[in-house]
Amino acid sequence: MVGLTSAAGLVGFLSEPDPDLQVFALRTLNDEVDLLWTEVADSVGQIEALYEDESFPERELAALVTAKVYYHLQEYNESMVFALGAGKLFNLDAAGEFEDTIISKCVDTYIALSAMHNPATPASTVNQPPPQLTAAFPQSTDGGASTSASLTSPTTPFSQSTLPSKSLLSRQEASSTFDPSLPGGGNAGVVGAHPTPLALQRGIQKSLQAIIEQLFERCFREGRYRQVVGIAVEARNLDVLRRAILRASEDEMKLSDGHKDSLISGKGEELMEYVLDICMMVVQERGLRNEILKLILDLLNEIPTPDYFAIAKCVVYLNQHSLASGILRQLVEKADARSIATAYQIAFDLYDNGTQEFLSNVQDDLPSVDEKPAESSPLQPPGGSNEDNGESATETDGLLSGPEAQQSDSAPLDEKKDQLSDDERKIYRSIGDILRGTKSIELNLEFLYRNNHTDMTILNKVKDSLEARNSIFHTAVTFANAFMNSGTTSDVFFRQNLEWLGKAVNWSKFTATAALGVIHRGNLSQGQKLLDPYLPREAVGAGSVYSQGGSLYALGLIYANHGTNVLEYLRDSFRKATDEIVQHGGALGLGVAGMATGSEEIYDELKNVLFSDSALNGEAVGLSMGLVMLGTGNVKALGEMIQYAHDTQHEKSVRGLAMGMALIMFGRQEASDELINGLLDDPDPTLRYGGILTLAMAYCGTGSNKAVRKLLHVAVSDVSDDVRRVAVMSLGFILFRKPSSVPRMVELLSESYNPHVRYGAAMALGISCAGTGLDEAIDLLEPMIKDPTDFVRQGALISLAMILVQQNEAMNSKVGSIRKTLQRIIGDRHEDAMAKFGCALALGIIDAGGRNCTIGLQTQTGNLNMAGIVGMVVFTQYWYWFPLTHFLSLSFTPTSVIGLDQDLEIPSLKLYSATRPSLFDYPPEQETKADEAPEKVATAVLSTTAQAKRRAQKKEKLQRRESMDIDQTPATPKNELPSDKMETDDDVERRDSEKKEGKDGEKEDGTTSETGKKKPEKEKEKVGYDLENMSRVLPAQLRFVSFTEGRYNPVKKPTGGVVLLVDNQPSEQKSLLQMKARKPTDRAAVPETMDDRISSAFEAAGNRQAAGGAAEAAGVLTAVDEDEEGGEEAEVPRDFEYFSDNDGSEE
C-alpha cells in the first residue's frame, strides 16, 4: 500500500459528525503523523477537542495523536501531558525517539514534583552559628548581599546564584536568594535547579505515577537497579530508594536458591556499594546525604548477614560511635574465627577514617579490660569529658541521637565487665590497641623499614650541588632528606654528614631537628628516647633553643594524630617554656599531636600564649588552635579568634588565626557559609586569604559547584595576589576526587599574566592529581618549568613530583625525562635559589618514604584522609614559613598490603600479581659515575703539515713508478714519518675498538662466534609473579592482586593497608615474618660545651656505628650558635701595654 502524501482528507474527516469517521482519521494519522505532522499541526485544536469530549469513544487515541504532534513541534511539556492522557496506548516498551523523549520528560517532572513534596532539611539551617559570630564582622555596605550568596543552594545554576558583593556583575534580586522555607529545601523554588513542575490534574498525576511505576518495574526485571537508585536520590524519595535496595536483595535470594555463599558477594552488595559511592561523591547537600546514610544503616541492620564494612563506613561519617562499638561487641560475642577477624578489620578501618575524639569515644563504649587506663586521660581529662562531648554535639550538626543514646550502654558495660572471659579480654585489648593506632603505626613502620629503597646517590648530589652556608639551601637538603626517609627510621644521612649538619644555624637548626620527627614518624616505642638529647631541660646552658623548639615539633610529628602518650609532656613543656622559639616549636608539636581531639584545656593554654601578642608565637599558636579543634565547628573558639585577628597588629598572628579558623571548619560544608562570607568581605587581605582556605577545607573533596564558582570568581577579581593565588590553589582541594576535571579547568589560568595565578594553577594540579601520573596535568606543567618567574618554576617542579610519585617509565613514559630535568636544575649554577629550593623538595617528594609512599588525600575505603588533607594545606603555607613544610609528611600514605591472621600475627605467605613485574616495579637507582676526564679534543692539523703530507704522497708515487720500470728486489714498505701525520684521539679510540671487536668475535678455538654478528633477543617478560606478604602494592595494582594460597582467605576484598585473613588450617604450624624494625635505641650523651659537643659528635661517627643518626647528630644540633642570644660570650681581651715615643726617649 502506497503511503499517504497529504493529510487534507483525513483532517476533513475530523470535522464530520460521525464518530466512526473521526476514529478512522485518528488511527490513520497515528500511523502517518511522523510524515504529515506539518499539515496536522493546524488542526491540533480539533484533536484536543475530541480528547476533552468525554462522550468520544477513542479519547486516548486522540490524546496520543495530539502528543505526537506537539512532540514534533518541540513542545515537550504539552506532549508529555497528552501522552499521559493516552493511558495504555502509550507503550513504554516501544523503541522510538518519541517514547524515549516522553519517558525522560516524565522522569524529570517526577523528580521535580517529588522534590517539592519530599523536602530535605537544608544543612545551612541546622545549628547555624549564633549572632555573635556574624557580629564579629563589619557589616557590608550593600545590605547583606554576601549573606544571600552564602545561602545559595549547592545545586543552584551559576546564572541563578548571587555573586559576591565585590563583583561588578552582581545584582540584588529577590528571586535569586535561597529560601530554606520553600519545599524541597528551596531548590524547587529556584529557576533551573529542577524542571519547573507543571500544574498537572489529579488524573494526569496518577498516570505519571503509573508510568514511573512501570518504568521502575521494567528496571527491576532487567536488573537495572542503579537507574532506580539514581532517580530516587535525585527526587529525594527515600521510600523508592529503600524499595530498590530491598528488591535487589529479594531477587538475589531467589536466584541464589538459598546458597549463602552467593549472598556474600552479589548484586545486593554491589548495589549497596554503588549507593554509598554516589552518596559520598555525587550528593552535595549534607542534610540529604545524612538521611541516605541513616537509611542505609537501617537496611544493613535488617539484613541477616549484614555488610559490616559498609556499616562502618556510614558510622564514621555520621559520627555514631555508639553504633560502632555495638558492632564490635556483637562480632566479639560470636567468638568464631571469621567474626573476630572481621572485628579486627573494622577496627582498622575505623582508625583509618575516624578522628581521635571519635576513636576515644568508641573505646569508652567498649568493655574495659583495665589495661593502661592512663592512656586515654590526656585526650579527655577527667571531670570534663562528658560536658565536652555534649557541647561539641550542639555546636556541630545534629547527626547523633540525644545524650540518652550515648549513655544507654554504660550500665550493661559495667555489669559485663566482670563477666568477660580471658579470650574476650585479649580480643578487646587487641581492639583497643588497634583503635589507639598502635598496631597500624607499628605495621606501617615495619613495612617502610623493611622495604626502604631510598637512593642516597640522589640525596648526596643534592647536598653537593647546594651550598650549605646558604640557609635556604641547607633547609632544602634537610627537607629532601626528611621526605625521602619519611617513616623509615633511617637517619644515615645525618650520621654521614655531621660536618654539613654543623653548618645549620638558627631556624635551619630548628628545621633540621624537626626533620627527625618526619624520619621517625610512627616510632612510638622509641620516639621520645630518640629526641631526649634535644628536648628542653631546666639546667642552665641546656643547648640551643632552636634545637629545643625543633625537638618539640619533631615529637609532635612522631606522634601525629596519635598524641595520647605525649600530650601531657608536650603541654607541660609548652607551659614551662619561656623562650619564644621553644614556645613556637611546642605549639606546633602540641597541635599536630593533639589533632582533632577537641580538648578545651589545650585550646585554653594555646589561647593564653596567643594573648601575649607575640608575632613569632602568634602564627604557630593560631594554627595549633585550629588543629586541636579540627572539624568541630566550635563557635566559641571561632568568635575569639575572629575578635583577636581584628585587634592584633601582627600579620603573622592574623595568618595563623586564619589558618586555624579554616581547620575548625574542616568538612562543615554549608554550615561554614556565614564564616566564609564574613571573611571574604573583610578589608584585610590576610583574613580574605583565610576565607578562601575555610572554603577549601569546608568543601574539600565534595566537588561542590558552588565552591568552585566562588573560587574562580575570587581568582580573577580580588585585588590581592595572595588571595588570588590561594583561590586557584584551593580548586585542587575541592576537586581531588575528580582529578581529570582539574587540568581543563585551570588550563587558561596557567597562562595568566599574573605569576601568582600561574603558581596557584600549578599547585592545584599537583594537589588534585597527586600520585595519578595524569598526562594532561603533566602537559600543562612541563612548559611552566621554563616560566620566567622563579616561584612559578618552583611550584611546577613540586607539583610534577606530587603527580609522578611512585611512577616508573612503564606507567608513564615521561618519568625518566622529568627526573633528568630535576637533576639538571639542581646542579645548574645559574638557576635561581627559589627554583632550586623547589627542585630539592621535588626530589624528596618523588621518592617519598623510601619510594614506598604515595600522597593520599582520601583513605583506601574512600573517606577523606583528614590528616593527609590537613598536612597538604599546611604544607602550602611554606610560602610564608619554611618549617611548615614538614607537614607534607602527614599526607604520605604507605602503599602496602599487610596480611594478618586472627591472632594479629604476620604469616609468611604469597600474593599473586597478574601483571608483568616491570609494570609496577621501583624506578631504577641512579648510577654512580666516576669522575669523568676532560673531553678529548681532536688535534688540529696545520697547513704546513698538509703541504708536507702532499709532498710525501708525490714522492711515494714517483718511487712506485720507478719500481715498475726497474725490476728490483722487493723492499719493505716505507713507513710514514710520525712528524708527517698527526694522529687524533678519535683514531686511537677507533683502533682500540676494532681490536676489541676482533677479540670478541673469536671463540677460544679460533672460530668466529655468532654473538659477534647478532645480538640475542630480549626475553619476553612473563605475566604474573608472586609477592611476599608486607610488600609494596600500588593503588593501581590492587585490582590485579589476589591471595593465592588456600590456607588464608581475606575477610574482605583487599583495598590496601592491613587485610585480616582467616586461617583455614589453624591446627597446622604457621610460618611468621619477623619484625625487623624493633631494635633498641641508645640515648645520646649531650656534651656540655660547644667544642665538646662538636668533637664528641665527630668521635661518635667512627665509634658508635650501632647508634642512630639522631643520637650522633645531637652533639651538632644542640650546640649553641655563636651569635645566639643568651649563649656563651667570647672571653674579653686582656689589657695590653704600649709604649709611645716619648716614653722611650725618657728612658
Side-chain angles (χ1 to χ4, degrees):
M1 180 178 176
V2 180
L4 292 175
T5 59
S6 175
L10 295 174
V11 171
F13 283 163
L14 296 176
S15 303
E16 294 291 333
D18 188 358
D20 293 336
L21 289 176
Q22 293 173 337
V23 171
F24 170 76
L26 288 174
R27 287 176 178 170
T28 309
L29 286 175
N30 184 43
D31 296 334
E32 303 292 339
V33 70
D34 291 339
L35 298 175
L36 305 176
W37 66 270
T38 52
E39 298 181 55
V40 181
D42 294 334
S43 304
V44 70
Q46 296 179 6
I47 306 175
E48 286 188 39
L50 293 176
Y51 165 67
E52 294 172 358
D53 185 3
E54 295 183 359
S55 63
F56 186 66
E58 294 289 345
R59 293 181 62 214
E60 294 180 348
L61 181 60
L64 184 60
V65 174
T66 308
K68 291 184 177 180
V69 174
Y70 277 121
Y71 163 74
H72 287 291
L73 291 172
Q74 297 185 2
E75 297 290 342
Y76 299 124
N77 286 332
E78 288 78 1
S79 178
M80 179 199 68
V81 171
F82 285 102
L84 292 174
K88 296 180 179 178
L89 292 182
F90 179 65
N91 186 9
L92 286 177
D93 297 328
E97 292 183 3
F98 168 70
E99 287 78 11
D100 292 343
T101 304
I102 297 304
I103 289 173
S104 63
K105 197 67 184 174
C106 288
V107 170
D108 290 341
T109 306
Y110 170 78
I111 289 173
L113 290 171
S114 183
M116 290 281 288
H117 298 294
N118 297 284
T121 304
S124 57
T125 64
V126 177
N127 295 325
Q128 279 191 346
Q132 65 263 25
L133 180 60
T134 56
F137 298 106
Q139 293 294 327
S140 58
T141 58
D142 56 358
S146 61
T147 305
S148 63
S150 71
L151 294 176
T152 305
S153 169
T155 57
T156 305
F158 178 75
S159 59
Q160 300 297 329
S161 63
T162 304
L163 296 175
S165 57
K166 296 185 181 63
S167 172
L168 298 176
L169 304 177
S170 62
R171 298 289 185 272
Q172 293 187 32
E173 297 177 1
S175 61
S176 63
T177 57
F178 175 84
D179 186 1
S181 63
L182 290 175
N187 288 335
V190 179
V191 179
H194 286 296
T196 305
L198 301 174
L200 301 178
Q201 299 177 1
R202 187 174 299 275
I204 299 298
Q205 289 187 11
K206 290 182 178 179
S207 300
L208 176 63
Q209 188 67 31
I211 290 289
I212 296 297
E213 288 296 328
Q214 292 179 38
L215 188 63
F216 287 166
E217 282 299 324
R218 189 172 72 177
C219 291
F220 290 151
R221 288 196 306 269
E222 297 174 1
R224 294 184 294 175
Y225 304 102
R226 295 189 176 189
Q227 295 186 8
V228 181
V229 167
I231 294 173
V233 172
E234 189 72 20
R236 307 172 182 273
N237 196 327
L238 300 186
D239 293 334
V240 174
L241 181 60
R242 174 189 291 271
R243 185 174 134 208
I245 297 174
L246 293 176
R247 178 66 178 269
S249 301
E250 292 172 3
D251 294 346
E252 185 182 5
M253 292 178 67
K254 292 177 184 177
L255 294 174
S256 63
D257 293 330
H259 293 293
K260 292 183 180 180
D261 294 339
S262 61
L263 287 175
I264 296 173
S265 58
K267 292 183 179 179
E269 184 178 349
E270 291 178 5
L271 183 63
M272 197 69 71
E273 292 178 0
Y274 174 73
V275 174
L276 276 174
D277 287 340
I278 65 170
C279 185
M280 306 299 269
M281 305 288 187
V282 178
V283 178
Q284 294 184 2
E285 284 189 56
R286 194 173 184 181
L288 177 60
R289 184 185 302 151
N290 294 339
E291 292 182 10
I292 296 175
L293 289 174
K294 290 177 181 177
L295 171 64
I296 294 173
L297 278 178
D298 294 340
L299 292 174
L300 289 173
N301 290 327
E302 293 174 6
I303 299 175
T305 56
D307 183 358
Y308 291 108
F309 304 110
I311 293 176
K313 193 173 182 180
C314 299
V315 161
V316 171
Y317 185 84
L318 294 173
N319 202 23
Q320 294 190 354
H321 54 83
S322 57
L323 185 54
S325 57
I327 294 172
L328 293 174
R329 287 198 305 271
Q330 180 182 350
L331 289 169
V332 172
E333 288 172 1
K334 291 185 179 180
D336 61 291
R338 175 169 287 276
S339 297
I340 293 171
T342 303
Y344 288 153
Q345 185 70 67
I346 289 176
F348 278 112
D349 291 348
L350 292 177
Y351 172 75
D352 289 339
N353 299 301
T355 64
Q356 289 196 61
E357 185 180 12
F358 173 81
L359 297 172
S360 176
N361 292 333
V362 174
Q363 292 180 66
D364 293 341
D365 290 344
L366 292 175
S368 174
V369 291
D370 297 328
E371 183 77 10
K372 301 178 182 178
E375 284 193 1
S376 61
S377 58
L379 282 175
Q380 294 182 346
S385 59
N386 290 335
E387 285 108 7
D388 292 345
N389 289 339
E391 289 178 7
S392 63
T394 58
E395 289 158 359
T396 61
D397 282 351
L399 304 180
L400 305 183
S401 52
E404 64 275 0
Q406 299 177 3
Q407 300 175 0
S408 59
D409 296 327
S410 58
L413 290 181
D414 294 336
E415 294 175 2
K416 293 181 180 179
K417 179 178 177 181
D418 299 327
Q419 301 176 4
L420 295 176
S421 64
D422 292 340
D423 291 339
E424 288 178 336
R425 287 177 179 274
K426 181 181 177 183
I427 293 170
Y428 281 122
R429 192 175 296 118
S430 299
I431 290 176
D433 290 339
I434 296 171
L435 293 176
R436 281 189 292 271
T438 309
K439 195 66 180 177
S440 293
I441 294 172
E442 179 186 5
L443 292 171
N444 286 331
L445 185 73
E446 174 68 22
F447 162 73
L448 293 174
Y449 179 82
R450 181 185 292 264
N451 297 280
N452 186 10
H453 280 73
T454 301
D455 191 350
M456 297 300 295
T457 306
I458 297 176
L459 198 53
N460 287 324
K461 183 174 181 180
V462 173
K463 177 184 72 72
D464 296 338
S465 301
L466 302 179
E467 175 57 45
R469 291 288 180 187
N470 192 332
S471 177
I472 185 175
F473 289 158
H474 195 287
T475 304
V477 178
T478 300
F479 290 139
N481 172 45
F483 291 159
M484 282 189 186
N485 295 289
S486 174
T488 63
T489 71
S490 173
D491 42 25
V492 180
F493 181 78
F494 280 161
R495 183 167 63 240
Q496 294 177 349
N497 297 279
L498 290 174
E499 184 179 356
W500 167 85
L501 194 61
K503 296 178 182 179
V505 294
N506 299 337
W507 288 105
S508 295
K509 183 174 293 186
F510 179 94
T511 306
T513 309
L516 293 172
V518 178
I519 295 172
H520 291 275
R521 185 188 169 204
N523 195 355
L524 305 181
S525 59
Q526 305 170 34
Q528 195 163 352
K529 188 177 180 182
L530 281 164
L531 294 174
D532 189 65
Y534 306 88
L535 293 171
R537 301 173 184 276
E538 297 180 2
V540 180
S544 171
V545 291
Y546 292 97
S547 65
Q548 292 178 22
S551 65
L552 293 176
Y553 183 18
L555 191 62
L557 289 170
I558 290 177
Y559 292 86
N561 201 22
H562 182 75
T564 311
N565 300 325
V566 296
L567 275 178
E568 282 299 330
Y569 176 81
L570 286 170
R571 288 174 62 183
D572 186 61
S573 300
F574 181 69
R575 278 195 303 266
K576 294 179 179 178
T578 56
D579 192 276
E580 290 184 344
I581 299 167
V582 180
Q583 286 181 338
H584 183 92
L588 290 176
L590 196 55
V592 72
M595 189 187 302
T597 56
S599 172
E600 292 284 351
E601 288 77 9
I602 298 178
Y603 171 82
D604 289 338
E605 291 176 3
L606 292 168
K607 182 178 66 176
N608 293 335
V609 176
L610 175 70
F611 288 164
S612 66
D613 203 32
S614 166
L616 182 60
N617 290 338
E619 187 169 18
V621 170
L623 172 61
S624 298
M625 290 163 69
L627 287 171
V628 172
M629 291 292 175
L630 179 64
T632 61
N634 191 308
V635 178
K636 176 173 173 281
L638 288 172
E640 293 173 345
M641 295 168 79
I642 293 169
Q643 188 63 40
Y644 187 79
H646 284 139
D647 294 341
T648 185
Q649 299 297 318
H650 299 301
E651 183 181 349
K652 291 173 72 70
S653 298
V654 176
R655 187 180 302 113
L657 289 168
M659 278 289 302
M661 287 186 281
L663 295 174
I664 290 176
M665 282 299 182
F666 175 82
R668 308 293 299 171
Q669 296 187 22
E670 292 89 351
S672 64
D673 284 349
E674 284 290 340
L675 175 64
I676 291 170
N677 285 276
L679 292 173
L680 288 181
D681 281 342
D682 200 282
D684 187 352
T686 307
L687 285 179
R688 296 203 304 274
Y689 184 98
I692 294 296
L693 285 177
T694 305
L695 180 64
M697 290 292 94
Y699 290 92
C700 61
T702 63
S704 169
N705 296 331
K706 180 183 72 172
V708 170
R709 285 197 302 269
K710 185 163 289 189
L711 289 175
L712 290 174
H713 173 74
V714 174
V716 297
S717 65
D718 200 277
V719 295
S720 169
D721 285 336
D722 288 346
V723 178
R724 298 180 67 178
R725 181 182 69 247
V726 76
V728 181
M729 187 193 306
S730 297
L731 290 170
F733 290 103
I734 304 293
L735 297 169
F736 68 78
R737 280 176 165 164
K738 303 173 183 176
S740 58
S741 65
V742 179
R744 179 166 41 86
M745 187 171 295
V746 303
E747 184 175 3
L748 292 178
L749 294 172
S750 66
E751 300 173 359
S752 170
Y753 73 93
N754 191 327
H756 292 267
V757 174
R758 297 200 300 272
Y759 172 89
M763 293 300 292
L765 289 170
I767 292 166
S768 60
C769 305
T772 62
L774 195 65
D775 290 330
E776 291 84 354
I778 296 173
D779 292 339
L780 285 178
L781 288 170
E782 279 185 314
M784 299 177 78
I785 298 178
K786 301 176 183 178
D787 194 276
T789 308
D790 51 1
F791 62 79
V792 176
R793 297 197 298 273
Q794 179 190 81
L797 293 170
I798 293 173
S799 295
L800 277 173
M802 289 182 182
I803 294 171
L804 294 176
V805 63
Q806 286 198 325
Q807 300 278 317
N808 58 23
E809 293 204 32
M811 301 169 68
N812 193 307
S813 58
K814 294 184 179 180
V815 172
S817 61
I818 290 175
R819 281 182 175 270
K820 289 179 182 177
T821 302
L822 294 175
Q823 297 283 349
R824 176 183 59 78
I825 292 175
I826 203 69
D828 187 356
R829 295 183 179 180
H830 304 289
E831 186 60 78
D832 290 320
M834 292 184 73
K836 280 191 172 185
F837 179 84
C839 188
L841 289 185
L843 286 168
I845 293 169
I846 202 169
D847 289 335
R851 297 183 172 178
N852 292 300
C853 288
T854 189
I855 295 176
L857 301 187
Q858 56 182 336
T859 62
Q860 300 282 3
T861 54
N863 285 23
L864 295 179
N865 180 7
M866 182 192 67
I869 294 171
V870 170
M872 180 63 75
V873 73
V874 179
F875 160 73
T876 59
Q877 305 311 302
Y878 80 88
W879 180 279
Y880 303 102
W881 191 232
F882 281 157
L884 298 181
T885 309
H886 284 312
F887 268 82
L888 183 62
S889 63
L890 302 183
S891 301
F892 293 159
T893 305
T895 52
S896 62
V897 170
I898 304 174
L900 298 181
D901 60 13
Q902 58 264 35
D903 298 325
L904 296 183
E905 295 176 327
I906 311 172
S908 177
L909 54 85
K910 300 286 185 182
L911 289 81
Y912 180 75
S913 178
T915 60
R916 291 178 285 108
S918 62
L919 182 58
F920 298 106
D921 199 7
Y922 289 97
E925 291 192 2
Q926 186 179 4
E927 297 179 0
T928 306
K929 294 183 179 179
D931 294 337
E932 297 180 355
E935 295 183 0
K936 297 179 180 179
V937 182
T939 308
V941 179
L942 302 177
S943 59
T944 54
T945 305
Q947 292 176 359
K949 187 176 181 180
R950 284 196 296 271
R951 284 196 299 268
Q953 288 176 350
K954 288 182 180 179
K955 187 176 181 181
E956 185 179 357
K957 287 180 181 179
L958 290 175
Q959 290 177 353
R960 198 178 293 121
R961 289 175 184 172
E962 292 175 357
S963 64
M964 291 175 65
D965 296 339
I966 304 171
D967 189 12
Q968 295 179 347
T969 56
T972 57
K974 185 177 180 181
N975 294 328
E976 291 181 357
L977 296 173
S979 59
D980 292 339
K981 182 179 179 181
M982 297 179 67
E983 186 178 63
T984 65
D985 296 327
D986 293 336
D987 298 331
V988 176
E989 291 177 0
R990 190 182 303 111
R991 186 170 64 247
D992 293 341
S993 63
E994 288 173 357
K995 289 180 181 179
K996 185 176 180 182
E997 288 176 3
K999 291 180 181 179
D1000 294 340
E1002 293 181 1
K1003 293 183 180 179
E1004 293 181 359
D1005 56 357
T1007 60
T1008 305
S1009 67
E1010 293 180 2
T1011 57
K1013 300 177 183 178
K1014 188 177 179 182
K1015 293 183 178 179
E1017 293 184 1
K1018 262 190 175 179
E1019 277 190 30
K1020 196 172 182 181
E1021 227 177 345
K1022 294 181 180 179
V1023 176
Y1025 63 101
D1026 290 334
L1027 290 169
E1028 294 288 339
N1029 191 9
M1030 201 171 269
S1031 294
R1032 186 184 84 150
V1033 178
L1034 303 186
Q1037 189 182 3
L1038 279 170
R1039 55 196 175 106
F1040 303 107
V1041 172
S1042 59
F1043 287 85
T1044 55
E1045 295 188 11
R1047 178 171 180 177
Y1048 295 99
N1049 293 326
V1051 296
K1052 72 167 187 175
K1053 185 179 178 181
T1055 56
V1058 178
V1059 178
L1060 266 294
L1061 309 171
V1062 178
D1063 190 355
N1064 297 325
Q1065 302 168 1
S1067 58
E1068 296 186 9
Q1069 187 176 4
K1070 56 186 178 183
S1071 175
L1072 301 176
L1073 292 181
Q1074 191 134 16
M1075 301 287 277
K1076 296 182 179 179
R1078 293 175 178 170
K1079 57 181 181 180
T1081 303
D1082 296 331
R1083 183 179 69 85
V1086 184
E1088 294 300 327
T1089 64
M1090 185 175 68
D1091 294 337
D1092 291 340
R1093 294 173 196 271
I1094 297 176
S1095 60
S1096 62
F1098 281 104
E1099 289 175 5
N1103 302 331
R1104 217 169 39 232
Q1105 294 296 330
E1112 298 186 11
V1116 176
L1117 291 178
T1118 56
V1120 180
D1121 296 334
E1122 294 180 2
D1123 57 348
E1124 186 176 330
E1125 190 176 334
E1128 298 177 4
E1129 296 183 358
E1131 186 180 355
V1132 180
R1134 291 173 297 183
D1135 294 335
F1136 57 92
E1137 297 177 357
Y1138 65 94
F1139 300 95
S1140 64
D1141 294 339
N1142 295 333
D1143 293 339
S1145 61
E1146 289 177 0
E1147 291 178 359

